[in-house]
Amino acid sequence: MTFSALLILAFGMSMDAFAVAIGKGAALQRPQLREALRTGLIFGVIETLTPLVGWSLGQFATHFVARWDHWIAFTLLCFLGGRMLIEGCRQQPVTAAPCEPVKQHGLGLLVTTAIATSLDAMAIGVSLAFMQVNIVLTALLIGLSTFTMTTIGMLIGRLIGPLLGKRAELLGGAVLIAIGAQILWTHFA
């Protein structure tokens, strides 16, 4: 595989994380560059590790991983997206004190979302186990691309978040569910 093909692969692998990051950035109260970099780092590290895990699994258990990866990704993304939709629809009680705006997503939520969006990279890693590819270079390119695209996505979300208001969480949940559905569609098409 040529270096330019690896770059295209890395860019393609980072697009779902980019879409999710836009929703995550929009759901936060004006996220700072530090939060965008933190989110990009979490997504980038996980997206670097998953092709390596997939490549390792490809050495031993190709049929099992390939048979279930799309269902795992779909379930995780629908769960997280559904949770965001429920939170976006939940009404504040009139007597409640105003909530402190959310300035940072929890580590657990970011890691779970990053894993869900990187399962396709694991599947790519499985398929790369049967090709003459430098898996470490490939994984690093995928991780770097994901870090960059996620950070940019968070900053774009920061710009559109104030325009969307409470609907930003609804948009983010819908994006997660749509990505899960797209993973299933691609698998069965």
Side-chain angles (χ1 to χ4, degrees):
M1 187 177 273
T2 66
F3 187 73
S4 59
L6 288 177
L7 287 176
I8 292 169
L9 172 69
F11 180 73
M13 292 286 92
S14 67
M15 290 312 295
D16 52 353
F18 174 71
V20 168
I22 290 173
K24 294 273 182 215
L28 292 178
Q29 177 66 32
R30 309 262 320 145
Q32 300 298 312
L33 178 60
R34 187 173 132 246
E35 177 63 12
L37 290 170
R38 174 182 171 259
T39 302
L41 183 63
I42 291 167
F43 274 69
V45 166
I46 289 173
E47 196 87 19
T48 299
L49 295 175
T50 53
L52 296 171
V53 170
W55 185 84
S56 299
L57 290 173
Q59 301 294 315
F60 300 107
T62 302
H63 299 294
F64 178 76
V65 173
R67 201 169 23 184
W68 294 100
D69 67 339
H70 54 282
W71 287 109
I72 295 167
F74 174 75
T75 302
L76 283 171
L77 289 168
C78 284
F79 173 76
L80 293 168
R83 192 171 131 204
M84 287 179 75
L85 287 174
I86 290 167
E87 289 298 318
C89 291
R90 193 169 283 161
Q91 295 292 326
Q92 287 278 120
V94 178
T95 59
C99 292
E100 181 73 24
V102 178
K103 301 224 182 244
Q104 179 177 354
H105 290 294
L107 180 63
L109 177 65
L110 287 177
V111 168
T112 304
T113 307
I115 289 170
T117 60
S118 68
L119 288 175
D120 58 343
M122 188 183 312
I124 291 293
V126 170
S127 63
L128 292 176
F130 303 105
M131 301 171 69
Q132 294 297 323
V133 173
N134 181 339
I135 190 63
V136 173
L137 174 63
T138 303
L140 288 173
L141 286 173
I142 291 170
L144 181 61
S145 177
T146 301
F147 166 76
T148 304
M149 295 301 289
T150 302
T151 303
I152 291 169
M154 285 285 291
L155 295 173
I156 290 172
R158 173 192 169 122
L159 296 175
I160 65 171
L163 301 173
L164 295 174
K166 185 77 169 155
R167 292 180 300 248
E169 199 154 16
L170 294 172
L171 175 64
V175 166
L176 288 178
I177 292 170
I179 291 171
Q182 185 268 337
I183 289 170
L184 276 184
W185 176 261
T186 303
H187 180 76
F188 290 114

